[in-house]
Amino acid sequence: RAAEERPKSGERIGDKRPKSGERIGDKLDPILGSTDHLPVWAPKGGDKPPPSQLTRLRRMMPTFSECSLSLGVLLLRELAGAALLLAVPVAVILVEAPSKIDPRCMSLSDCTGAVTGPKLYAEPDDSDGWGPDDDIRLAQYLILWIARPLYSLAAARLLSLVVISFLSIPSLLRTLPGIVVLLLHSIFSMPLCPPAILFPATNGVFRLLYFDRLTWKRLYELPSFVPASMWMLAAALAFCLLDAAVQFSQNQLALKHYEDRSQSAYEQQAALRKVAAAAKSCERRRAYPMRPSPRDAAGEGLLSRHLSGLSKLQQQLQRLAGPLDLGSELAEAASLCQARRRAQRIFNLLLREEGLVTLPPRRTGRTSGEKEEPSVDRDALLRWAYQGDRRPPPPKLAADLFPYGQLVDRDQFCKVVERSYKEQRLLTASVESFDRLQKILLRGLQVLVAFIFLVLLLRLPFIRINLVSMLIPLTSALLVFFSLAGGLVAEVFSSFFFTYVTRPYDIGDRVYVATPGQGPVLYSLIVKDIEVMRTHFLTANGEAMVVSNSSVKNMALTNLSRSGKLTLLVQLMVPAATQSSKINELLDAIATFAVESGEWSECENQFGEAALDKGHLLLNIWPTSVLAAHDIMGVYGAKSRLLLFAHAYMQAAKIEYVLPVQPLRESAAPRTGFGGVVEQALSAAAVEKLTKKGSAAGSNFPFGVARGARS
């Protein structure tokens, strides 16, 4: 049934456009229908009719200008890559080939002689002389020699595309070991590496061909041609192995930090999708009782897309990215408000199932006029949602998904969906921040490897540079740099190790920071962003705080988001004059309320101190919350309600705390030595005298001294 109001005479549906900042469907009656199928914000031109299918296809197809631009960018990338790869072989040919082309030229620089400029002629070495024809002939030979590495590189590029297409087959990748797949992924992610690796192989193939083997033979006779080709091969392999090593370490650290968290978030979101799928399936069966309504067994929605070549963790992280997907024809939740609306809609569908709805038992402290909220049993709900699935739900999924108790009401179900949405968003942001640090590490190592191979390139024969003469100034410069910036370099490395390897917190975690051995200095900080050198926090008052990672590393840090269930200490003063029976009733009432409220899993009551001078016994209450430790407002709200119940019960039981008017006298400890012996003797004589006097008078004695007692 449509939730739209009937238009007036002469008015079309959709003529009233929402104002700026107003959502479509905000003024609709929530009882009549839902606005989940409508967009979040009013689009521009929302009153126009929807486009046809042909119009949509035309919009999806790229235009000629877009195709031309993409093709031009692709050609520029290929030309730039070819120029980089051919730079070293071309330099080798220009330096060492002239002597092979014409014996009169020892090298290209020798052919210029004393004449300045880009000319290739020089003074003749024999009687024939050197003329312009020789200049043209030498240039032609050089161009022909340069053409050999050019088409060899083109063949290597085509061969690399064929190999990449063949090795990218999903069925083939599943048969290969994981480390091989990781190495192939690293090779394929760098467009310049596969041609550079295959370049020496294509050179050897063309060297064996009959029609061009003479020129290739002369190319192989150049002193630096083969070393330059092997240098390209070694550099490409080094970069690929470096990328694979960093990716392997990244995967291991990601498994260490996010495996359990992503698995838990994925299982909880899958359970919510199955609950939504079962509810929608029952609703369709009620709407069309005669038509068979197949159950949405998967309940995956947009998350059922095929993901090949990724590990289990990467699949889960990719499926958790994006808005909260509940499947079953429900729109995705891209905000917290939308997630709550979807949760209310699903719970309304659950309340229509009579086998799931139950009324909670009357709790301690509930008034007679308070309305009973309908609830559903969490174990029965998951069994009902998984009844069409081959695999049963995990044993601890119900307790992890609904930690508020056995019965789940509307507010608790909405909190579960909101928590799933928040966990999905925070997990995605944490992984993105972790990947940024991995890219920084990879770029730094690539710069180091590039510097090493640049030094090796300078050692090739066609480059005449004396590295020994440059070693002393380079060493002096490095010593000066590390002397001036040694502390900064050490801080960068320690901060990077702290945020990348140790990783004591992630985005969204709630932490306490304190000096070792002292109480917390910074309370309830929420991690907003993590960088290499600093971390951004949000305080409890909403203030933004930036702290360097080197400072946090030297502090005692408590991560509440990674802690277990929180056990609080709640202290209560019980009057010392209270009867023992009333004290036992008070302890039983507190323990019963803590368990029945659904906010505490267990409660231990212990008396810690008897302050008789102040007139009370100190009762220590140790309740364990069912909420997560980082849910500070929920945990301390439950603590407040526990204290309020204890106060109300003590008032109803006439247990009133009265401060003594006259405090008890505290006597000093007896002295040691001869003075102590004299004091004890005098005290014993005085007590005996009072006892005899009281016995003669036949009266009782104050201050708790019995008849016949001796000190």
Side-chain angles (χ1 to χ4, degrees), residues 271 274-275 278 295 350 355-356 376-395 397-398 401-402 406:
K274 290 183 180 297
V275 170
R295 184 184 181 90
L350 294 177
L356 297 177
V376 295
D377 186 85
R378 64 186 186 185
D379 295 331
L381 176 61
L382 288 186
R383 286 196 302 268
W384 174 73
Y386 277 81
Q387 62 183 355
D389 199 350
R390 298 179 181 177
R391 295 175 298 177
L397 180 59
L401 185 60
F402 305 104
Q406 189 67 27

Side-chain angles (χ1 to χ4, degrees), residues 101-102 264 270 279 389 399 408 546 604 640:
I101 297 174
D102 196 325
S264 176
D389 199 350
V408 182
V546 180
E604 295 289 339
S640 175

Side-chain angles (χ1 to χ4, degrees), residues 137-412:
R137 182 175 57 85
L138 180 61
Q140 291 176 351
Y141 275 108
L142 289 176
I143 294 174
L144 292 176
W145 280 41
I146 292 174
R148 267 66 178 185
L150 180 60
Y151 67 72
S152 177
L153 182 63
R157 179 58 176 166
L158 293 177
L159 182 60
S160 66
L161 294 177
V162 173
V163 172
I164 290 174
S165 302
F166 176 73
L167 294 178
S168 299
I169 300 175
S171 58
L172 179 61
L173 289 176
R174 284 192 290 267
T175 60
L176 297 176
I179 190 65
V180 177
V181 174
L182 184 62
L183 181 59
L184 292 176
H185 181 267
S186 300
I187 294 175
F188 298 162
S189 62
M190 300 181 181
L192 297 180
C193 289
I197 294 174
L198 296 175
F199 183 67
T202 54
N203 290 344
V205 171
F206 286 115
R207 168 70 175 80
L208 298 176
L209 294 180
Y210 177 77
F211 66 91
D212 204 17
R213 62 180 180 180
L214 182 59
T215 306
W216 278 102
K217 180 181 179 181
R218 301 185 67 181
L219 276 175
Y220 269 77
E221 291 176 356
L222 297 179
S224 302
F225 185 78
V226 175
S229 302
M230 300 308 296
W231 176 85
M232 293 174 57
L233 172 63
L237 285 177
F239 276 98
C240 293
L241 292 175
L242 177 64
D243 184 80
V246 174
Q247 288 290 339
F248 180 77
S249 64
Q250 170 81 2
N251 292 342
Q252 295 300 317
L253 291 175
L255 286 174
K256 174 184 175 182
H257 295 311
Y258 302 111
E259 184 180 17
D260 297 337
R261 185 178 176 184
S262 63
Q263 179 69 22
S264 176
Y266 180 73
E267 288 180 353
Q268 294 180 12
Q269 193 178 121
L272 291 177
R273 287 195 301 272
K274 290 183 180 297
V275 170
K280 290 293 292 184
S281 178
C282 293
E283 184 188 28
R284 287 193 295 267
R285 284 198 296 266
R286 285 191 298 267
Y288 306 99
M290 301 301 297
R291 182 184 303 175
S293 177
R295 184 184 181 90
D296 188 4
E300 294 292 334
L302 297 177
L303 300 182
S304 59
R305 55 185 180 270
H306 179 69
L307 299 173
S308 60
L310 298 176
S311 64
K312 183 179 179 181
L313 176 63
Q314 291 172 332
Q315 290 184 15
Q316 293 174 356
L317 293 177
Q318 187 169 351
R319 290 178 177 180
L320 291 173
L324 179 62
D325 179 25
L326 296 173
S328 300
E329 302 175 1
L330 290 173
E332 295 178 338
S335 64
L336 201 60
C337 181
Q338 290 182 356
R340 187 171 185 84
R341 291 207 305 269
R342 307 296 186 273
Q344 292 177 354
R345 182 177 177 183
I346 296 173
F347 195 79
N348 290 334
L349 297 177
L350 294 177
L351 293 181
R352 299 180 184 179
E353 298 295 324
E354 298 180 356
L356 297 177
V357 181
T358 180
L359 293 178
R362 184 174 295 276
R363 298 175 182 174
T364 305
R366 182 186 293 272
T367 60
S368 58
E370 189 174 353
K371 185 179 179 181
E372 297 286 345
E373 284 287 340
S375 305
V376 295
D377 186 85
R378 64 186 186 185
D379 295 331
L381 176 61
L382 288 186
R383 286 196 302 268
W384 174 73
Y386 277 81
Q387 62 183 355
D389 199 350
R390 298 179 181 177
R391 295 175 298 177
K396 298 182 180 180
L397 180 59
D400 295 338
L401 185 60
F402 305 104
Y404 306 101
Q406 189 67 27
L407 299 180
V408 182
D409 57 9
R410 182 187 302 272
D411 292 337
Q412 293 174 356

Side-chain angles (χ1 to χ4, degrees), residues 512-531:
Y512 287 167
V513 180
T515 304
Q518 299 181 6
V521 179
L522 301 175
Y523 289 90
S524 188
L525 299 179
I526 298 178
V527 182
K528 182 181 179 182
D529 194 11
I530 304 174
E531 298 178 357

